């Protein structure tokens, strides 16, 4: 087969499509990783879990990523909730999210969105963001920095940017939910090791 200069670019594009959703997703993932390597995200990857009573998952619309993470955490027996930073309350999960979730034995049909404005932050909440920019928005809204972490810190390897799968390929939806499920399960295990006696009550 003759060598084609297009081959590595084609393969890179396919890799990004499946694993990061888009080229922008890969760029944001790479930037977040660099920020962490230089110590810029230390407070977002090493929260004090001993004081955490509830896991609150955060994304933009609360119809894909955070909805799925909440359902996984609930299945694992954690006290949990989720919300969106740019959404209206009371909306169902996205149809493709519901379809993809069934492959993980998760039913999202009963999910309804909540937004940050109606969320009652309480002591013991750990807000788990999908992206660094979500962390910044939560801080700007007055959520204490110590109460915010990146969910992807519990992924193996770390995935500090979990790109929004909305309107993207079925392959990426599955890859995204695979990362979220693994990270959430690891988080719950870690939380149980450190939790206070009243956590989850």
């Amino acid at each position: 087969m003759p060598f084609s200069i297009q081959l590595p670019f084609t393969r890179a594009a396919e890799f990004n499509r499946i694993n990061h959703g888009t080229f922008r997703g890969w760029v944001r993932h790479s930037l977040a990783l660099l920020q962490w390597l230089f110590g810029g995200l230390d407070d977002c990857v090493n929260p004090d879990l001993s004081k955490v009573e509830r896991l609150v998952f955060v994304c933009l619309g609360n119809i894909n990523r955070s909805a799925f993470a909440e359902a996984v955490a609930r299945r694992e027996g954690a006290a949990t909730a989720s919300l969106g930073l740019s959404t209206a309350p009371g909306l169902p999960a996205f149809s493709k999210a519901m379809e993809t979730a069934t492959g993980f034995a998760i039913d999202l049909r009963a999910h309804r969105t909540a937004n940050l404005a109606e969320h009652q932050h309480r002591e013991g909440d750990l807000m788990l963001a999908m992206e660094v920019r979500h962390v910044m928005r939560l801080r700007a809204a007055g959520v204490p920095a110590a109460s915010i972490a990146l969910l992807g810190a519990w992924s193996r390897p770390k995935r500090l940017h979990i790109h929004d799968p909305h309107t993207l390929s079925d392959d990426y939806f599955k890859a995204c939910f695979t990362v979220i499920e693994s990270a959430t399960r690891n988080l719950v295990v870690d939380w149980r090791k450190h939790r206070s006696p009243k956590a989850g009550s």
Side-chain angles (χ1 to χ4, degrees), residues 112-168:
R112 292 298 180 269
T113 57
N115 59 31
L116 182 59
E118 65 181 2
H119 174 71
Q120 298 295 317
H121 185 75
R122 62 196 192 200
E123 186 178 357
D125 279 354
L126 179 63
M127 312 291 279
L128 292 142
M130 305 292 163
E131 306 178 25
V132 174
R133 59 180 179 159
H134 299 167
V135 172
M136 299 301 105
R137 288 185 60 173
L138 287 168
R139 289 179 178 176
V143 178
S147 298
I148 307 170
L150 286 161
L151 175 62
W154 284 270
S155 178
R156 299 294 179 269
K158 282 180 170 47
R159 182 70 73 89
L160 301 181
H161 176 87
I162 303 176
H163 201 61
D164 191 352
H166 195 64
T167 74
L168 299 182

Side-chain angles (χ1 to χ4, degrees), residues 164-187:
D164 191 352
H166 195 64
T167 74
L168 299 182
S169 70
D170 291 352
D171 286 337
Y172 178 62
F173 243 103
K174 184 176 180 180
C176 178
F177 276 22
T178 298
V179 170
I180 290 173
E181 184 194 40
S182 174
T184 302
R185 291 175 67 181
N186 289 339
L187 166 61

Side-chain angles (χ1 to χ4, degrees), residues 25-172:
W26 175 80
V27 169
R28 287 179 174 169
H29 161 72
S30 300
L31 290 174
L33 187 58
L34 282 171
Q35 194 173 348
W36 170 70
L37 288 171
F38 283 94
L41 296 175
D42 285 353
D43 54 346
C44 297
V45 300
N46 295 304
D48 183 358
L49 294 177
S50 67
K51 298 179 180 179
V52 174
E53 298 178 16
R54 183 172 64 157
L55 306 175
V56 182
F57 298 92
V58 181
C59 67
L60 285 179
N62 193 213
I63 58 174
N64 294 306
R65 294 169 291 179
S66 59
F68 179 67
E70 178 190 8
V72 173
R74 182 180 299 113
R75 184 181 67 186
E76 298 300 310
T80 186
S82 67
L83 60 89
L85 296 170
S86 299
T87 194
L91 301 176
F94 183 49
S95 57
K96 190 174 285 187
M98 287 191 279
E99 178 184 343
T100 305
T102 61
F104 297 84
I106 293 289
D107 187 348
L108 292 180
R109 288 178 296 178
H111 175 77
R112 292 298 180 269
T113 57
N115 59 31
L116 182 59
E118 65 181 2
H119 174 71
Q120 298 295 317
H121 185 75
R122 62 196 192 200
E123 186 178 357
D125 279 354
L126 179 63
M127 312 291 279
L128 292 142
M130 305 292 163
E131 306 178 25
V132 174
R133 59 180 179 159
H134 299 167
V135 172
M136 299 301 105
R137 288 185 60 173
L138 287 168
R139 289 179 178 176
V143 178
S147 298
I148 307 170
L150 286 161
L151 175 62
W154 284 270
S155 178
R156 299 294 179 269
K158 282 180 170 47
R159 182 70 73 89
L160 301 181
H161 176 87
I162 303 176
H163 201 61
D164 191 352
H166 195 64
T167 74
L168 299 182
S169 70
D170 291 352
D171 286 337
Y172 178 62

